[in-house]
Structure formats: structure tokens, C-alpha cells
């Protein structure tokens, strides 16, 4: 089943985000190589493709996991969690309707 992992950043966490980004992307690349990643990306804190020093307000990952417990375990092990970037992480089952 698909799950949406919706994370909100702590204020002023851009430096920690930048430092943890390579390890974060490595895990996403592994999901993609397994054919389980639907989409992933950050939410810019301002209305711009490159938010600069405004940074990001959070991230969204939609991926396939065996169940909610597995999705939670994967999200809990994210380098952004360990680095203190995320202030909260919400995980919800997700049913993809489009694109088909």
C-alpha cells in the first residue's frame, strides 16, 4: 500500500537540513531503486523554486510500504529526524487515483 509521509520542519533548521541531505537522499534513492517511491520533495518556505535562505517548511514522501508500521519505522529512521530537522511527522495511507 502507498503511504504519504508528511513532515514539518523546525524553524531555523536549514543548516541541519543541508548537512543531513546526502544521507536523506540516499535512502530515497534506495526506495526508488526498489520501485517503491512515487514522489518526494520539500515544501519551500516561500513561493519560489529556490527559496534560498528562507529554507523549507517540510517534506512530502509518497512510497509503498508493507503496512503503516513499516512506513513509520522507515520515517523514524530518516536522517532529518536524527538531525532535528523535522518537528513532526504524520503518516497516512494514500490511494493514488491519478495519474493512472
Amino acid at each position: 500500500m502507498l503511504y504519504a509521509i508528511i513532515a514539518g520542519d523546525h524553524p531555523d533548521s536549514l543548516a541541519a537540513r543541508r548537512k543531513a541531505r546526502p544521507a536523506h537522499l540516499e535512502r530515497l534513492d534506495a526506495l526508488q531503486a526498489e520501485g517503491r517511491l512515487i514522489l518526494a520533495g520539500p515544501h519551500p518556505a516561500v513561493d519560489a523554486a529556490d527559496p534560498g535562505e528562507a529554507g523549507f517548511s517540510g517534506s512530502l514522501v509518497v512510497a509503498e510500504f508493507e503496512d503503516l508500521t513499516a512506513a513509520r519505522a522507515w520515517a523514524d529512521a530518516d536522517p532529518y529526524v536524527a538531525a532535528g530537522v523535522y518537528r513532526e511527522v504524520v503518516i497516512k495511507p494514500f490511494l493514488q487515483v491519478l495519474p493512472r
Side-chain angles (χ1 to χ4, degrees), residues 4 6 18 32-34 36 42 50 71-72 79-80 82:
I6 308 152
R18 286 177 173 156
Q32 184 173 16
E34 295 168 6
R36 297 170 41 207
D50 180 358
R72 169 60 63 194
Y80 284 170

Side-chain angles (χ1 to χ4, degrees), residues 8 10 12-13 15 24 32-34 37 40 44 46 49 61 75 77 85 87 92 98:
H10 282 288
D12 302 317
S13 62
H24 172 77
Q32 184 173 16
E34 295 168 6
L37 182 65
V46 295
V61 174
V85 174
R87 65 175 166 71
K92 297 180 178 186
L98 296 171

Side-chain angles (χ1 to χ4, degrees), residues 34-80:
E34 295 168 6
R36 297 170 41 207
L37 182 65
I38 303 303
L39 64 88
H43 300 286
V46 295
D47 188 13
D50 180 358
E53 291 305 308
F56 301 92
S57 63
S59 300
L60 170 66
V61 174
V62 177
E64 183 180 348
F65 294 95
E66 183 177 320
D67 55 28
L68 184 59
T69 301
R72 169 60 63 194
W74 187 89
D76 286 347
D78 193 295
Y80 284 170

